[in-house]
């Protein structure tokens, strides 16, 4: 089971918190769920340069709390908080379009958290691998260099999986790279996971990254 299931979903509700935290009746549930998906997708795309790794959403009776975890918070906040104001306007537009009208008495509260060690964030590592693969760098060199960097930053283990037409091959294949300890069925192990597609000349190559963080890293993040 641990080999086939998303490690984040496997632990959500047991040792990891939910990314969306709210309650709604049957008439509002679908509306809120679609809003969460659209808001999260828009922020992940808009704040890519800020090194965003997660977006958490909390709904209160008259307010919407959005917690963004990024590696460069200054890029999100902007000069004098102008970046946050732009994000609030974009989120309000998404909510208006989804609900088909004006939104009254809704306060949007944005919180920006910085990540302590971006070198062992699975999403940032996967994004960096995709960027280098799309620049046509040799995949084995990219993976080896990335795994060394992750281990030097204090991780207990790292596993990277590439799948697709790797290196422009005619037949798609799967390549797995492993360094250190990455327990897939131990629920208490803090496994950070991300999957990002790389669009290459010959087609998509999927990139999956598993990073086993130490206990002190788990406590800080």
């Amino acid at each position: 089971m641990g080999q086939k299931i998303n490690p984040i979903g496997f632990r959500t509700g047991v040792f990891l918190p939910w990314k969306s935290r709210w309650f709604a009746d049957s008439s509002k549930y679908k509306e809120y769920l679609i809003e969460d998906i659209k808001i999260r997708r828009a922020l992940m795309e808009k704040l890519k340069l800020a090194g965003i790794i997660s977006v958490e959403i909390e709904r209160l009776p008259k307010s919407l709390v959005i917690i963004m975890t990024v590696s460069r918070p200054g890029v999100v906040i902007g000069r004098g908080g102008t970046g946050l104001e732009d994000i609030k306007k974009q989120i309000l537009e998404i909510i208006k379009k989804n609900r088909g009208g004006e939104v009254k008495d809704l306060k949007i509260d944005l919180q920006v958290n910085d990540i302590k060690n971006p070198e062992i964030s699975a999403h940032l590592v996967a994004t960096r691998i995709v960027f280098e693969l799309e620049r046509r760098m040799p995949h084995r060199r990219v993976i080896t260099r990335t795994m060394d960097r992750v281990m030097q930053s204090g991780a207990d283990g790292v596993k990277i999986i590439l799948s697709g037409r790797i290196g422009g091959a005619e037949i798609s294949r799967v390549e797995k790279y492993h360094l250190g300890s990455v327990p897939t069925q131990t629920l208490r192990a803090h496994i950070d996971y991300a999957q990002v597609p790389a669009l290459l000349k010959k087609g998509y190559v999927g990139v999956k990254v598993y990073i086993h963080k130490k206990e002190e890293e788990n406590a800080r993040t």
Side-chain angles (χ1 to χ4, degrees):
M1 177 64 74
Q3 301 287 343
K4 301 175 183 178
I5 195 168
N6 185 311
I8 304 298
F10 195 32
R11 292 164 174 80
T12 297
V14 184
F15 296 105
L16 295 180
W18 297 89
K19 294 296 178 69
S20 293
R21 297 183 284 273
W22 42 264
F23 293 94
D25 56 26
S26 57
S27 63
K28 292 286 186 181
Y29 182 84
K30 182 175 74 172
E31 180 181 286
Y32 288 171
L33 178 62
I34 293 173
E35 274 181 16
D36 281 11
I37 293 171
K38 289 181 178 179
I39 290 171
R40 189 170 283 114
R41 189 178 295 163
L43 291 180
M44 293 297 286
E45 182 63 31
K46 180 182 179 67
L47 302 177
K48 193 180 291 184
L49 293 177
I52 188 167
I53 63 169
S54 69
V55 177
E56 299 178 32
I57 299 174
E58 296 179 355
R59 292 181 185 271
L60 301 174
K62 290 189 177 181
S63 66
L64 179 66
V65 181
I66 298 178
I67 305 166
M68 299 169 284
T69 305
V70 298
S71 61
R72 291 187 286 175
V75 177
V76 180
I77 297 171
R79 237 179 232 183
T82 54
L84 292 178
E85 292 301 321
D86 292 340
I87 293 172
K88 284 183 181 180
K89 290 178 184 177
Q90 184 177 3
I91 292 171
L92 202 56
E93 285 299 319
I94 292 172
I95 295 174
K96 284 180 181 178
K97 285 182 181 178
N98 190 60
R99 300 185 184 181
E102 290 293 324
V103 180
K104 296 181 180 179
D105 300 328
L106 178 64
K107 179 186 175 184
I108 299 176
D109 183 17
L110 300 180
Q111 299 178 14
V112 182
N113 296 334
D114 65 324
I115 184 170
K116 304 296 181 184
N117 192 351
E119 290 296 334
I120 57 173
S121 166
H123 184 79
L124 295 182
V125 170
T127 303
R128 188 184 299 121
I129 292 172
V130 167
F131 176 73
E132 293 182 347
L133 291 178
E134 289 178 345
R135 292 176 59 199
R136 302 185 185 180
M137 296 183 68
H139 67 280
R140 286 191 179 89
R141 187 191 303 168
V142 171
I143 298 302
T144 303
R145 190 167 54 196
T146 299
M147 290 197 302
D148 289 342
R149 190 187 298 122
V150 171
M151 294 300 289
Q152 289 171 6
S153 298
D156 275 349
V158 56
K159 181 169 70 172
I160 299 174
I161 302 175
L162 302 181
S163 59
R165 296 180 62 181
I166 302 169
E170 290 295 325
I171 299 174
S172 64
R173 66 182 188 274
V174 177
E175 290 190 6
K176 298 181 181 181
Y177 303 87
H178 189 277
L179 199 61
S181 166
V182 185
T184 50
Q185 291 185 330
T186 307
L187 280 174
R188 288 189 179 275
H190 187 197
I191 306 295
D192 195 9
Y193 170 80
Q195 60 183 47
V196 182
L199 179 57
L200 308 182
K201 187 177 180 181
K202 299 290 186 179
Y204 276 106
V205 171
V207 179
K208 293 182 179 180
V209 176
Y210 302 72
I211 296 178
H212 181 200
K213 297 184 178 181
K214 292 183 179 179
E215 291 302 319
E216 57 266 23
E217 291 291 341
N218 191 4
R220 283 188 296 179
T221 59

